[in-house]
Amino acid sequence: MGAAMRRLEDPRLLRGQATFIEDLELPRQLHVAFARGEYPHARLRTIRVADALQVAGVVSVATAYDLGARRIPAVVPHPALRPCGQPILADGAVRYVGEPIAVVAAETRATAEDGAAAVQVDYEPLQPVPSAEAAVEFSAPVLHQQLGDNLAGSFDVRVGDPEGAFAAADRVVRGRFYVQRYSGMPLEARGVAAVWDAGRNRLTLWTSTQWPHTVREALAKLLELPEQAIRVIAPDVGGGFGIKQDVYPEEVVIALLARRLGRPVKWVESRREHLCTAVHAREQWHDMQLAVRNDGTILGMRADVLSDQGAYTRSLGILCPSLTAAGLPGPYRFHNYQCHVRVALTNKAPAAAYRGAGQPEAVFATERVVDRVAQELGLDPADVRRRNFISPEEFPWEVGTESAQTPVVYDSGNYAEGLDRVLDLGHYADWRKRQKAEPERWLGIGLGAYVMLTGLGPHESSLLRVDPSGELLLVTGASPHGQGTATALAQIVASQLDIAPSAVTVLHGDTDAIPFGVGTYASRNAVVAGNAAHAAARAVRAKAFALAAHLLEVEQADLELSEGGIHVRGAPHRRITLGQLSAAAAPGKPLPEGMPPGLEATHYFLAPRATFASGVHLAVVEVDRETLAVRILEYAVVSDAGPLINPVIVDGQIVGGVAQGIGGALYEELTYDEQANFLSQSLMDYCMPSAGQIPPIAVAHVYTPSPLNPLGVKGLGEGGAMAPPAAIANAVEDALHSAGVRIDRTPLTPTRLAALLRRG
Ligand code: SMO
């Protein structure tokens, strides 16, 4: 634990020995393609499937009429969530481009595509709702008649005495900030395969998901089966980033088709389908007001959040905007806060989680308006932050908000140390000097500070078993998809039993292997899966000592564990290995009174409260005076996630997150036109940064342990993505401030900057 070792997962991934959904070859499998809506908003008059059925090789064409009017259930409840869940296939209307209407199963993928193209839909186009602002206008067409308006939910958060704070303030600093629609773009898009065993009434479903146990639960409800009749397997998953923390229509449709057709069925998402229909994220308006004193002290915050949910909610409901509302106060010491949230329904793809899930949006809005405080008062933005940070003695700090039904209580932190370290690491003072010395250059420096909810409960599971060979099997309910979790968990187990991490095989992503499991999201694995593995390893260790004492006929206190074996202190030849202990613990072997057979332990780590990681990012940019391209000259990150399990993995996670944040700051946008037609249908139209756009990223750490778990760890997977849009936007505004440019949204493309410069 703590060693900077390379990932145990990588050799087989690099050698092409992994199994992704596309690699599955099931006997007699059928391939699936979806006929998808081409209009943003239309009534479906008729769906003609006759021609599709004529295509040679097409076996079946099904619509909602055939598969039943099922809707995706909300897995994450919210008191304000209203019923606008997505049907598994369009239910008489389509409400976004790409909504699935019919599903075609055929002998080959190409035939299935031909069949899908031959499905004839007679549409009656309806007036679309192209934006959240349009959705809440009085005259807007209503997308879901039963709601009477276009709100998937609205709610208020109130803490302390906001009116008092604003009355006592010297001034109110304002801003209205918009975060564009963008999302995760995993190398492996989505994919689902299913087999129905008619004799046993049993479904096996492979899906590229972050939470197989949750998919199982949803399928059990929708297919009216006991959970034990469903096995969900997440094989190797090539990236998730939040977008695979959902229950998707395609997962339910493939399961139903396998049962209906009595043949295995497989669907692999195309990149175009991914762009049109996988989770979109982040699109949100934030009207911000800070009550401040002239010395820069923040007394309170008012916020109005208008979120663009797209056409439906799915399993996460309105979780993301609720995380924004809970997170807007950030690392700052004020107790007076008020936030009004409206979640608007529009004719766009449904929105849900993407790396940080509502929190990077909050960081953007808060860090932009905090910079405005510095500008208006003529203060250094670093000083304004330092003055208002919660200080180390003030923890636990009750924000007074709630996230996912959990009170937001920051458990520990040292935000000022993070700031001081990042100012050093990013050469803040030097850059300020250069900025003065070279006024002909558009140089800017920006900061972004964040606090991030991590390690969300309710629990995570671990089953640890010692094999007679001396190797170990760890089954975890977490379902990682590229984070290096198997290595981290192996390190935790190995350090308890003094063995090599490579002797621990970690099995994940299989609901038959462990009955309860939660999944991988909310930067939770180190905290919940890590502590579950730690506790299971402690239990196995304790049992090994008890059994060794029995077999070696000594007191436990006289035993020592080293290199995977237990020996009598001072008599290393009187030794019994973990493998021998496992064999000696088999049923029927002489065991101490009351000891159950098997050298294994199962542990469920409960996390009633979340841990809160934090960090500060610093970006130095230069805006090219000719092309208006933004070049990042320096990027520094100081992260605090408590003690590190594996620094190599941690730094890799941070760099990956920063790259995604840079994408959001400068390049990526899922664009719809004013009629809600979807314009970003390929990676030619959706610009992701590549290595050429990502500068070297300097990373350093602060370590404040969490008092909430034995390892003291906090989550970190999403940390890198929290602050880049804030830090980079702050830097670009700093660079162009003298030219009159004010930044209120991302991505900061040359086109957008040109418009701002003309206006300025
Ligand atoms: S956006 Mo994440 O998978 O909580």
Side-chain angles (χ1 to χ4, degrees):
M1 165 118 178
M5 62 176 281
R6 296 211 170 179
R7 308 194 327 166
L8 300 170
E9 291 92 333
D10 289 344
R12 54 185 285 282
L13 290 171
L14 293 171
R15 290 187 191 118
Q17 294 164 324
T19 306
F20 300 93
I21 299 289
E22 176 65 9
D23 299 315
L24 292 173
E25 292 294 341
L26 304 165
R28 299 178 63 239
Q29 74 186 4
L30 292 169
H31 297 263
V32 153
F34 287 88
R36 295 180 179 276
E38 291 162 6
Y39 286 83
H41 191 200
R43 199 164 289 135
L44 303 178
R45 281 215 200 91
T46 56
I47 307 169
R48 265 174 45 89
V49 304
D51 290 358
L53 283 166
Q54 289 303 310
V55 175
V58 167
V59 170
S60 149
V61 184
T63 65
Y65 179 80
D66 307 296
L67 296 187
R70 294 173 167 86
R71 281 173 193 275
I72 302 296
V75 171
V76 180
H78 191 286
L81 174 63
R82 299 167 80 206
C84 46
Q86 181 166 11
I88 59 167
L89 291 171
D91 65 349
V94 284
R95 297 183 178 87
Y96 64 95
V97 173
E99 180 167 356
I101 296 174
V103 58
V104 178
E107 299 294 343
T108 67
R109 173 63 184 259
T111 316
E113 300 274 0
D114 288 348
V119 172
Q120 288 168 5
V121 181
D122 185 12
Y123 295 96
E124 177 190 338
L126 300 170
Q127 193 191 333
V129 176
S131 70
E133 289 173 306
V136 296
E137 274 173 21
F138 186 67
S139 58
V142 173
L143 298 189
H144 297 267
Q145 288 311 322
Q146 75 275 17
L147 299 183
D149 60 30
N150 288 322
L151 290 178
S154 68
F155 57 93
D156 289 279
V157 174
R158 220 190 123 80
V159 180
D161 174 18
E163 290 78 13
F166 278 81
D170 293 326
R171 65 168 67 213
V172 176
V173 176
R174 294 163 208 271
R176 184 159 192 259
F177 305 106
Y178 171 77
V179 178
Q180 83 278 19
R181 196 167 258 260
Y182 64 109
S183 195
M185 212 55 60
L187 276 177
E188 186 201 23
R190 294 182 295 142
V192 189
V195 174
W196 175 252
D197 181 336
R200 292 194 174 86
N201 249 359
R202 198 174 147 80
L203 175 78
T204 304
L205 183 111
W206 292 260
T207 178
S208 192
T209 188
Q210 296 173 218
W211 55 0
H213 287 83
T214 305
V215 172
R216 179 181 64 170
E217 206 181 312
L219 288 175
K221 281 198 195 108
L222 290 167
L223 275 69
E224 291 163 14
L225 289 169
E227 285 192 20
Q228 64 173 12
I230 300 175
R231 178 182 185 188
V232 176
I233 300 169
D236 288 302
V237 174
F241 310 117
I243 66 125
K244 293 177 184 172
Q245 185 205 358
D246 208 341
V247 177
Y248 279 103
E250 291 89 347
E251 290 172 317
V252 184
V253 167
I254 298 298
L256 288 166
L257 266 192
R259 181 162 76 175
R260 189 181 153 91
L261 301 177
R263 285 178 69 176
V265 174
K266 181 168 114 178
W267 167 70
V268 173
E269 184 182 55
S270 71
R271 188 58 63 182
R272 179 170 173 228
E273 281 180 300
H274 182 83
L275 283 155
C276 292
T277 68
V279 160
H280 286 188
R282 302 246 198 281
E283 187 176 12
Q284 215 160 253
W285 291 94
H286 311 79
D287 242 308
M288 304 292 294
Q289 297 182 18
L290 287 181
V292 294
R293 281 208 292 257
N294 281 335
D295 63 2
T297 306
I298 303 169
L299 302 176
M301 173 187 279
R302 274 190 193 135
D304 185 283
V305 174
L306 177 61
S307 176
D308 188 329
Q309 172 59 36
Y312 304 97
T313 56
R314 282 194 295 251
S315 55
L316 297 190
I318 54 174
L319 172 70
C320 294
S322 81
L323 285 169
T324 305
L328 279 167
Y332 301 112
R333 185 203 298 111
F334 59 82
H335 258 315
N336 308 304
Y337 169 54
Q338 178 181 334
C339 181
H340 180 56
V341 177
R342 286 169 299 163
V343 185
L345 292 157
T346 61
N347 288 116
K348 302 183 192 174
Y354 170 42
R355 210 164 189 166
Q359 299 180 94
E361 298 86 315
V363 173
F364 183 75
T366 297
E367 290 300 274
R368 288 270 49 233
V369 75
V370 166
D371 254 36
R372 295 272 160 91
V373 172
Q375 278 167 20
E376 289 192 20
L377 296 172
L379 301 171
D380 183 319
D383 292 339
V384 172
R385 286 177 173 82
R386 190 179 293 104
R387 164 181 291 276
N388 287 289
F389 278 156
I390 298 157
S391 56
E393 325 72 71
E394 291 174 290
F395 294 96
W397 176 268
E398 291 187 28
V399 178
T401 57
E402 268 193 9
S403 267
Q405 276 78 54
T406 314
V408 177
V409 182
Y410 298 164
D411 45 335
S412 65
N414 190 339
Y415 308 149
E417 187 188 347
L419 176 65
D420 292 340
R421 295 278 304 282
V422 89
L423 296 180
D424 262 2
L425 189 66
H427 309 100
Y428 185 71
D430 295 345
W431 283 113
R432 283 283 178 229
K433 274 187 213 133
R434 279 182 76 170
Q435 210 179 12
K436 279 221 179 64
E438 301 169 41
E440 71 289 353
R441 293 174 73 185
W442 276 339
L443 284 176
I445 310 158
L447 291 166
Y450 69 88
V451 179
M452 174 175 78
L453 173 144
T454 76
L456 200 59
H459 75 85
E460 198 49 270
S461 58
S462 265
L463 159 63
L464 180 64
R465 183 181 294 143
V466 181
D467 186 85
S469 66
E471 299 212 349
L472 279 78
L473 177 70
L474 178 78
V475 186
T476 174
S479 192
H481 35 281
Q483 293 88 343
T485 303
T487 305
L489 298 182
Q491 285 181 264
I492 291 168
V493 167
S495 49
Q496 283 305 314
L497 297 169
D498 200 18
I499 51 172
S502 57
V504 184
T505 297
V506 178
L507 178 65
H508 53 73
D510 183 348
T511 60
D512 267 11
I514 193 157
F516 301 101
V518 181
T520 297
Y521 53 88
S523 302
R524 67 195 299 278
N525 281 357
V527 182
V528 287
N531 279 290
H534 175 74
R538 302 280 301 175
V540 163
R541 183 189 159 108
K543 187 164 184 181
F545 269 91
L547 184 55
H550 175 74
L551 295 172
L552 296 169
E553 300 179 319
V554 294
E555 293 295 318
Q556 282 194 45
D558 296 329
L559 293 175
E560 243 174 49
L561 180 135
S562 72
E563 292 172 23
I566 295 179
H567 64 267
V568 178
R569 205 183 299 273
H573 59 284
R574 292 191 62 202
R575 172 182 163 89
I576 185 161
T577 64
L578 287 172
Q580 290 165 333
L581 285 167
S582 161
K589 295 281 164 74
L591 292 172
E593 190 66 29
M595 181 183 278
L599 188 51
E600 66 172 56
T602 299
H603 186 84
Y604 300 99
F605 180 78
L606 305 179
R609 282 170 54 191
T611 57
F612 288 84
S614 62
V616 190
H617 291 199
L618 183 151
V620 180
V621 305
E622 177 164 19
V623 181
D624 188 295
R625 295 189 88 112
E626 298 286 331
T627 65
L628 302 183
V630 176
R631 199 152 66 92
I632 299 171
L633 304 181
E634 174 126 29
Y635 202 97
V637 174
V638 173
S639 152
D640 180 1
L644 306 184
I645 300 165
N646 182 329
V648 171
I649 292 178
V650 163
D651 288 357
Q653 285 288 310
I654 290 173
V655 169
V658 170
Q660 289 179 313
I662 289 173
L666 299 178
Y667 308 109
E668 295 178 41
E669 182 163 18
L670 294 160
T671 314
Y672 288 81
D673 72 9
E674 61 288 348
Q675 292 298 313
N677 294 299
F678 185 52
L679 304 179
S680 312
Q681 297 207 16
S682 83
L683 290 177
M684 296 292 287
D685 310 295
Y686 182 82
C687 180
M688 289 187 68
S690 64
Q693 285 79 44
I694 306 301
I697 293 155
V699 179
H701 300 276
V702 169
Y703 309 92
T704 59
S706 170
L708 300 179
N709 66 76
L711 294 173
V713 294
K714 301 175 178 180
L716 133 326
E718 299 164 295
M722 294 295 290
I728 292 166
N730 285 345
V732 171
E733 186 169 290
D734 186 48
L736 300 180
H737 194 258
S738 55
V741 168
R742 299 293 175 269
I743 304 293
D744 58 10
R745 60 160 296 177
T746 45
L748 298 170
T749 59
T751 315
R752 183 154 291 123
L753 292 181
L756 290 171
L757 279 162
R758 277 196 298 274
R759 210 199 295 163

